[in-house]
Amino acid sequence: MSIPYWILLILYAVIVLIFFIISGFGIYHSWRFGFRTPMVQSVTAAYLAGAAIILILTIVGIISLDWSQVWEIGREASL
């Protein structure tokens, strides 16, 4: 059985979309209903910077892949 790489790209996009939704709700509620101390602002900035670095590094890795390849899964017939 072979799975094309672009299916994994769809899975990655769904995971990133869920991450953005959860992060958006978290940051919105932190800013809207939480305390706005310098500590909270610095932790939020560190979280956003870390998330941006991780997303940029994964996008750089994704760009370097050949999406026309397939991933072979299964047993090879042995003699």
Side-chain angles (χ1 to χ4, degrees):
M1 180 165 106
S2 61
I3 299 174
Y5 278 174
W6 59 267
I7 291 178
L8 298 174
L9 183 63
I10 293 171
L11 178 64
Y12 173 75
V14 168
I15 290 170
V16 168
L17 179 66
I18 292 169
F19 170 75
F20 278 138
I21 291 170
I22 291 172
S23 291
F25 279 116
I27 291 171
Y28 169 75
H29 284 96
S30 172
W31 282 97
R32 177 80 167 99
F33 303 112
F35 297 109
R36 291 191 184 175
T37 63
M39 176 73 142
V40 172
Q41 291 176 352
S42 62
V43 168
T44 303
Y47 174 77
L48 291 174
I53 289 170
I54 290 171
L55 287 172
I56 289 169
L57 290 176
T58 57
I59 289 171
V60 167
I62 284 173
I63 289 173
S64 67
L65 284 177
D66 179 18
W67 293 101
S68 63
Q69 293 182 351
V70 294
W71 184 25
E72 295 293 331
I73 299 175
R75 292 187 196 178
E76 295 292 324
S78 60
L79 298 174

